[in-house]
Amino acid sequence: MTTGLKAHNGTPTPGDGPGDSSKHTGSAQRWLQWLTVILLVYLLMVSVGVLSQGFRSVSGGSDGAAAIFEFANNPLVGVILGVLATALVQSSSAVTSVIVGLVGGGLPIAIAIPMIMGSNMGTTVTNTLAALGNVKDSEAFNRSFSAATVHDFFNLFTILIFLPLELLFHPLEQLSGYLANWFQGSDDISVSQFDFIRTITRPLISEIRDLIRLLPGGIDGVVMIISGIISVLAVIYGLNIMLSKVVTGRAYRLFNAAIGKTGALAVLSGLVTTLIVQSSTLTTVLIVPMAGAGIFTLAQVYPFTLGANIGTPITALMSATAITGDYQVVALQIAIVHILYNGLSVALFAAIPPLYRLPMRSAQALANGARRSPWIVPGYILGVFFVIPGVVFGAQAVLDYKNPQVVEAEANKEVYEPLQKEVEDKRMRIE
């Protein structure tokens, strides 16, 4: 009764007065901001998809990757052409299908392993491009560019360590062969039917692609690439603004509880996120605007990307069990090679603190240099992913230095083509 009397004698009740109205207005604005973030994340996924479609159209997709690999006549060139094939095709699932088909057609696994190492590096170009969305804000760009390129440097140093070890002692080849025979005949545990992200983005991506294909002159691939890059940069810019507004207080604490407390938890978060979205490219692209907005530091983003590195080969292993017949072991061994390569590299770097810090220091140094000279950014992206590998490929092509084993495997069409198609159908992806 007392409470009721006070309420009716001037004490405002919930729902009365300007203060409560302001609270409701603030809550509605908060929900609108979060809905805008969700919409921007969806548009980012679509933009990355359009960009990938454009690159695949221009490069010839799987056929283009196969043509590139014909010139992989030594392990180092195999790595470099793996970078080029994945950067151009913008789909390491397509590159993986080519490698699986070639191995099934008779290509020794020892030649395929350097190609896999290169594809691991080539798939990081998208999140490096995404960092350019913050180029107008010096501090945000420094944070996002270092967060994007730390993945590049980790992959680069991993190649420098594991390629010589593989050439000398063949640990990945031998261990993957043993495990592939152990897994062979296991039940299909493919997770492709649970690819929720692909389900919700593919219709819009297909509509955009079909609309652009109406343009005359066969320029649809180029237009998709340009449109994809512009939209990725625009969405990243918008996300950086919106995330700075909404990720405060409790939301900030929740994000940091999921990623920022320990390195092990960040690795686990990256792994789980990649298993959900089934693309480490998308996982690392999504973390870039969060780094740009100052939500996560480079030290927090780094282990998260390592978890993403581990996550996608696990998906590939699951999908490889869906391959049936005599060549299931081929698909399994390719997937196991990649999961061993990524898992062992993370374990090695984590076990040696100076080695663990090396990619972070390198990425930060590059970002600091990019702040002083804007030409470093296009020079880095074009040089590492396209110009240097392109020069190597061009020299091999001019000299006609084709690998006869790759050519022979590709010519074995009764095995190569059906196996490649089955891998693509099962969507055994390493992205």
Side-chain angles (χ1 to χ4, degrees), residues 37 39 103 109 112 129 212 228 233 248 255 269 344 361 405 408:
V37 168
L39 175 61
V103 174
I109 190 73
L129 281 171
I212 292 175
L233 299 184
T248 57
F255 273 105
S269 297
L344 291 174
R361 289 177 174 173
Q405 292 174 297
E408 184 179 348

Side-chain angles (χ1 to χ4, degrees), residues 92-93 96 116 119-120 123 312-313 316 334-335 338 428-431:
S92 48
S93 58
T96 301
I116 295 169
S119 71
N120 215 38
T123 195
T312 312
I334 295 298
H338 206 151
M428 175 185 154
R429 55 174 62 194
I430 301 178
E431 297 181 354

Side-chain angles (χ1 to χ4, degrees), residues 36 99 101 125 132 143 145 149 155 169 201 208 252 256 277 281 287 297 311 317 331 333 340 353 367 381 385 387:
T36 303
I99 296 173
V125 65
L132 296 177
R143 291 191 296 263
F145 192 62
T149 56
N155 285 329
F169 305 109
T201 58
I208 295 172
Y252 179 80
N256 273 271
V277 304
T281 297
I287 204 71
T297 65
L317 179 61
Q333 189 168 5
L340 287 173
I381 295 174
F385 296 102
V387 175

Side-chain angles (χ1 to χ4, degrees), residues 380-398:
Y380 171 77
I381 295 174
L382 293 175
V384 170
F385 296 102
F386 299 103
V387 175
I388 295 174
V391 168
V392 172
F393 172 69
Q396 296 287 99
V398 168

Side-chain angles (χ1 to χ4, degrees), residues 45 187-202 272-279 282 314-315 318-319 321-322 425-429:
M45 293 187 292
D187 293 335
D188 175 9
I189 53 174
S190 173
V191 294
S192 60
Q193 61 267 35
F194 303 116
D195 193 348
F196 171 70
I197 300 300
R198 184 182 177 92
T199 301
I200 63 173
T201 58
R202 180 50 63 110
V272 171
T273 304
T274 304
L275 290 179
I276 293 172
V277 304
Q278 298 195 40
S279 169
L282 187 54
I314 292 176
T315 303
M318 293 177 176
S319 298
T321 63
D425 289 344
K426 300 298 183 182
R427 298 216 342 276
M428 175 185 154
R429 55 174 62 194

Side-chain angles (χ1 to χ4, degrees), residues 120-137:
N120 215 38
M121 179 77 182
T123 195
T124 63
V125 65
T126 308
N127 55 296
T128 307
L129 281 171
L132 296 177
N134 289 321
V135 72
K136 288 185 176 181
D137 185 330

Side-chain angles (χ1 to χ4, degrees), residues 7 21 40-41 68 73 95 108 131 150 200 216 218 221 238 243 246 277 281 285 292 296-297 359 382 400 419 428:
S21 174
L40 287 171
V41 169
I68 290 172
N73 59 9
V95 174
V150 72
I200 63 173
L243 287 170
V246 299
V277 304
T281 297
V285 165
F296 298 123
T297 65
L382 293 175
D400 199 25
L419 184 55
M428 175 185 154

Side-chain angles (χ1 to χ4, degrees), residues 298-332:
L298 178 59
Q300 293 169 323
V301 169
Y302 177 36
F304 181 84
T305 62
L306 299 187
N309 236 23
I310 299 172
T312 312
I314 292 176
T315 303
L317 179 61
M318 293 177 176
S319 298
T321 63
I323 307 299
T324 57
D326 296 336
Y327 296 99
Q328 184 192 47
V329 68
V330 172
L332 283 168

